[in-house]
Amino acid sequence: MAGPGSGRRFGFGPGKGGGAGRTPLQRLLYWGMVLAIWGAIFLLVFFAVFARDLPDTSTLYDIDRQPSITYLDRNGALIAVRGTQQAPPADLEALPDYVPAAFIAIEDRRFYMHPGFDPIGMSRAMAANMRAGRVVQGGSTLTQQLAKNLFLTPDQNLKRKVQELMLAVWLEMKFSKKEILALYLNRVYFGAGAYGIEAASQRYFDKSATRLTVGEAALLAGLLKAPSRYSPVSEGERAAARATVVLNEMESTGVITPEQRAAAVLEPVRVSRTLATQHAQYFIDWLDKQIRGLVGEPTEDMIVETTLDLTLQTAAERSVRRILNRDASRGVEQAALVALDGDGRVRAMIGGASYADSQFNRAVDARRQAGSAWKPFVYLAALEAGYTPESRVVDEPVRIGNWSPRNYSGNFIGETTLATAVAQSTNTIAAALADQIGRDTVARVAHRLGITSRVGLEPAMALGAVEVAPIEMAQAFDAFANGGQRATAYGISRIRTPQGRVIYQRAAREGRNQQVINNPPLYYLNQMLRGVVTSGTGRSAAIAGRDIAGKTGTTSDYKDAWFVGYTGGFVTAVWVGKDDNTAMRGVTGGAAPAAIWKGFMEAALPRLNVMPIPNGPPMPEGWQATNPVEDLISSVGDLFGDAPPAIDETAAPVEAPRPAPAQPVVRPTAPQPAQRRDEPPAQRPEPAPPPERKAEPLFF
């Protein structure tokens, strides 16, 4: 039987509190146990709450991705891949040692030492963020990043962070470090639709990940912080700086030697030609909007066979870049170019000066005033009304309502021929003709040929006070180049699955089976537009030995400048200007646009092997063809003598005698809003372009 004091040995005797007889060590142990028990209970409840809706980890090897769309040029060359690109998983053993080491060096230097989360790294990041007053470092381990990528959303909240920690520990318990690293490298997102290091290596460098150099590995490792911000495609300098940081970390951790780092810095890292051709992305953006209309929402990977010719696309980019650099001092900031063949196939498209700076496609979505490049629709309407290139017309003051147009020179040359009026882009005659035959008639002609924008009927419409997109002008002029048939611009030939099943096939001659210009108007118009290039405002676009025709265009105060030119079965429209619609410094259609056009066409024509401009449908019975060059020379010779001299745009034209008219003379007695500038009578020869610089290394 226990004595009365037996309970005191356990501290439960009467009198003082239960802990009165404990030593400090006993009290410490006691309360430690209490706190541990309650802490365990709290953690169990805490993790139970957050574990209730943890994702199903059985989906670890499942890949949930959007279908990819691969775009090929007309010869089967890869242009771009949109959507998710998933390549076969890379074998970690087959990769150079410095490839996985680059990711560990920049993302998780203590990867081989922590159990899935790194308290030391978290503490270091927290301290750095507190000092900076903002988030400058992340404390997530590579395993945590993998858990987030595999199972969780990118939401930034406490619940997601706790679940990330739990899943990271689970991954560390289930897999070895080597397996976790392999999973990470094969599933992480590298931007540009590429998931996994093999897909990223193919996308950015057009090679297998097993062949990555030290610099390329550093660049890919640097991407993971923010794939779009450090993209080598659109942010080359920033990507280079980030890659240099990775190289420094690789050296400091002993992954590479100082000599290897120095060699990597000196060796340029080049993005594959497919991605370097960024201006083709304007074309791909244009097609992206059309695909869903043709095949619906993609549910499987697709291959889109396009009409683009990457060789011509590169030539267009070089010509645009050269002239933009040359004429930057004159305020030429943006350019757009569309090249079509006679069936309307888009062979090249430039939507702006830099796709990285602006994805707005000026070739398709920008509508700018056409200026004198609009006049062929006026003259075609006149030819269809009975005029010919030899018809006598009068360049004299004209008033239509309260509007009175003026010529570029500020002078009037009196009676002349329609051919000369076209070649010298005379404003008064075009305005008078449109008023006489009806501006609604001109609008119908433009719409018939392929202009889709609204065409107003105010008097200034005759001189190009109409807002149109370059692609509209190209498809409308295509009827002049292909024998008078309507051509609708298109870029998709076929859509199929990777297995070869055809989803969409464009029908043969779809969109080009309507004769919209008959003869002799087509023959006459081509004759006169040849004269623009041989002896008129577009002489700077002439190419020796080639049958070329076209029209320049310049709007009020030099805000827009155009050249739309063509040969047999091939047309190219070029626009230059500024996005804010402010004026350039004296840039006309015969200057920068014609220079871009000529530079592109000189490279394109040998590849295309085009024919002369076709005559089109049969002529009326009894009609006899005349020599267009002789006609033009004789008509201009009436004014200037035997041969048309080079005219200084600052000089006043010579007044000519007025012979008896062979056709009705256009003399509008009605008057004409804002004044539009005509082209200069002739363009001075362009200075020789500076030699093109060799491509410089993209990085470092």
Side-chain angles (χ1 to χ4, degrees):
M1 184 174 178
S6 60
R8 292 192 180 94
R9 284 175 296 183
F10 300 96
F12 298 112
K16 297 182 181 179
R22 296 183 193 148
T23 65
L25 179 59
Q26 288 175 321
R27 285 198 296 273
L28 180 62
L29 292 173
Y30 171 78
W31 288 110
M33 290 176 61
V34 170
L35 291 174
I37 292 170
W38 280 108
I41 294 172
F42 173 78
L43 288 175
L44 285 172
V45 173
F46 183 81
F47 282 107
V49 170
F50 286 100
R52 275 188 311 174
D53 57 350
L54 273 174
D56 181 8
T57 56
S58 65
T59 62
L60 174 64
Y61 296 103
D62 295 342
I63 299 176
D64 182 18
R65 66 183 184 90
Q66 294 295 315
S68 68
I69 303 177
T70 301
Y71 295 88
L72 306 179
D73 89 335
R74 64 189 305 268
N75 299 307
L78 178 66
I79 303 174
V81 180
R82 294 284 176 91
T84 303
Q85 183 180 7
Q86 192 80 36
D91 180 4
L92 199 64
E93 295 290 342
L95 296 175
D97 291 341
Y98 52 74
V99 173
F103 292 85
I104 292 174
I106 194 64
E107 293 293 325
D108 188 2
R109 295 174 67 165
R110 292 171 45 80
F111 173 69
Y112 289 105
M113 292 177 277
H114 61 66
F117 63 95
D118 185 6
I120 295 176
M122 295 170 70
S123 301
R124 183 176 61 247
M126 188 179 300
N129 295 337
M130 290 178 65
R131 285 195 302 271
R134 57 188 177 89
V135 177
V136 294
Q137 280 189 27
S140 294
T141 64
L142 189 148
T143 314
Q144 288 176 262
Q145 294 178 42
L146 176 62
K148 179 179 67 176
N149 291 334
L150 291 177
F151 305 118
L152 301 172
T153 67
D155 298 337
Q156 296 290 338
N157 54 54
L158 177 62
K159 178 180 179 181
R160 203 273 296 161
K161 197 66 178 176
V162 171
Q163 290 182 334
E164 179 186 295
L165 287 169
M166 296 169 67
L167 290 167
V169 173
W170 176 81
L171 286 169
E172 291 278 351
M173 294 173 62
K174 186 173 178 63
F175 299 100
S176 68
K177 290 287 187 180
K178 179 181 175 182
E179 291 171 325
I180 290 172
L181 184 57
L183 273 171
Y184 178 82
L185 290 177
N186 284 312
R187 299 296 290 275
V188 72
Y189 182 57
F190 286 88
Y195 284 83
I197 192 166
E198 182 64 29
S201 182
Q202 296 286 355
R203 177 67 67 89
Y204 290 109
F205 308 121
D206 197 23
K207 64 165 120 175
S208 169
T210 59
R211 296 170 49 219
L212 287 171
T213 65
V214 172
E216 291 165 347
L219 187 144
L220 291 181
L223 272 175
L224 299 186
K225 183 175 183 180
S228 59
R229 179 175 172 80
Y230 295 104
S231 169
V233 175
S234 58
E235 301 292 342
E237 291 185 8
R238 190 175 287 156
R242 177 67 177 165
T244 303
V245 172
V246 176
L247 289 173
N248 293 340
E249 291 296 318
M250 293 172 71
E251 180 188 354
S252 67
T253 55
V255 173
I256 57 175
T257 64
E259 292 74 22
Q260 286 177 302
R261 181 199 176 281
V265 168
L266 293 176
E267 181 182 3
V269 177
R270 299 185 185 279
V271 174
S272 71
R273 177 176 177 268
T274 297
L275 284 177
T277 310
Q278 270 303 288
H279 291 80
Q281 302 303 319
Y282 289 114
F283 175 73
I284 299 304
D285 286 348
W286 179 55
L287 298 190
D288 266 352
K289 300 175 183 179
Q290 303 173 31
I291 288 174
R292 284 155 185 82
L294 294 174
V295 302
E297 192 66 30
T299 58
E300 57 185 328
D301 291 351
M302 296 188 303
I303 296 175
V304 178
E305 298 174 2
T306 77
T307 62
L308 196 79
D309 187 320
L310 271 179
T311 301
L312 300 188
Q313 178 70 21
T314 301
E317 291 178 17
R318 288 173 178 167
S319 185
V320 168
R321 183 169 56 248
R322 181 175 66 85
I323 300 303
L324 288 183
N325 290 339
R326 188 196 74 180
D327 290 352
S329 62
R330 300 178 67 185
V332 180
E333 296 179 357
Q334 288 291 349
L337 179 150
V338 179
L340 309 178
D341 68 12
D343 287 317
R345 289 182 283 252
V346 176
R347 295 296 186 88
M349 177 183 286
I350 305 292
S354 169
Y355 184 83
D357 293 339
S358 170
Q359 289 77 55
F360 179 66
N361 191 343
R362 296 156 189 83
V364 175
D365 300 321
R367 281 168 171 75
R368 304 295 289 255
Q369 291 195 359
S372 293
W374 181 263
K375 290 177 183 175
F377 308 129
V378 176
Y379 289 113
L380 178 58
L383 294 169
E384 292 178 340
Y387 283 82
T388 72
E390 294 80 25
S391 295
R392 311 301 295 189
V393 289
V394 179
D395 175 20
E396 61 185 357
V398 172
R399 290 191 64 80
I400 303 175
N402 62 353
W403 180 58
S404 184
R406 61 187 175 92
N407 295 324
Y408 184 89
S409 65
N411 299 309
F412 307 97
I413 63 173
E415 188 171 307
T416 185
T417 64
L418 201 65
T420 302
V422 174
Q424 301 304 322
S425 199
T426 308
N427 279 341
T428 58
I429 292 173
L433 278 172
D435 187 59
Q436 183 183 69
I437 62 181
R439 289 182 291 278
D440 57 338
T441 301
V442 175
R444 285 194 297 271
V445 166
H447 285 312
R448 191 176 79 218
L449 269 59
I451 296 298
T452 57
S453 295
R454 175 188 173 276
V455 178
L457 299 182
E458 62 277 1
M461 175 266 276
L463 306 187
V466 179
E467 293 184 343
V468 291
I471 195 168
E472 293 178 75
M473 294 294 283
Q475 70 183 9
F477 272 64
D478 215 355
F480 307 151
N482 67 18
Q485 293 185 330
R486 168 73 180 260
T488 301
Y490 71 96
I492 299 175
S493 299
R494 186 168 69 158
I495 302 175
R496 58 180 173 85
T497 65
Q499 294 74 34
R501 180 172 59 85
V502 176
I503 305 173
Y504 164 80
Q505 176 78 54
R506 185 175 177 88
R509 296 184 66 82
E510 180 181 340
R512 184 194 162 187
N513 51 16
Q514 179 185 4
Q515 191 73 33
V516 291
I517 314 177
N518 291 311
N519 271 322
L522 175 63
Y523 175 84
Y524 287 149
L525 187 71
N526 282 335
Q527 174 183 336
M528 294 192 297
L529 294 184
R530 285 184 178 104
V532 172
V533 177
T534 58
S535 58
T537 60
R539 283 188 296 176
S540 61
I543 299 175
R546 297 289 183 177
D547 185 13
I548 302 295
K551 187 69 186 77
T552 54
T554 310
T555 61
S556 299
D557 300 323
Y558 304 103
K559 293 179 180 178
D560 302 280
W562 297 74
F563 185 77
V564 188
Y566 59 95
T567 186
F570 197 79
V571 60
T572 301
V574 178
W575 164 89
V576 303
K578 296 183 180 181
D579 283 340
D580 61 5
N581 204 30
T582 56
M584 297 174 287
R585 286 184 281 283
V587 177
T588 65
I596 290 173
W597 188 93
K598 183 176 181 178
F600 166 65
M601 292 292 279
E602 283 182 328
L605 291 178
R607 178 177 176 83
L608 294 169
N609 194 27
V610 297
M611 303 298 290
I613 300 169
N615 289 329
M619 294 290 181
E621 187 176 351
W623 183 91
Q624 290 186 347
T626 56
N627 187 313
V629 176
E630 289 181 0
D631 286 344
L632 182 66
I633 291 175
S634 63
S635 63
V636 177
D638 288 340
L639 296 175
F640 302 111
D642 293 336
I647 305 172
D648 187 333
E649 63 187 63
T650 62
V654 179
E655 193 70 39
R658 303 187 183 184
Q663 293 280 341
V665 176
V666 177
R667 289 181 181 276
T669 54
Q672 309 188 26
Q675 309 212 352
R676 301 200 60 73
R677 230 179 244 284
D678 186 20
E679 298 296 328
Q683 200 66 36
R684 293 190 181 96
E686 295 287 344
E692 188 169 355
R693 293 184 300 176
K694 294 183 179 179
E696 297 177 355
L698 180 59
F699 302 113
F700 313 122

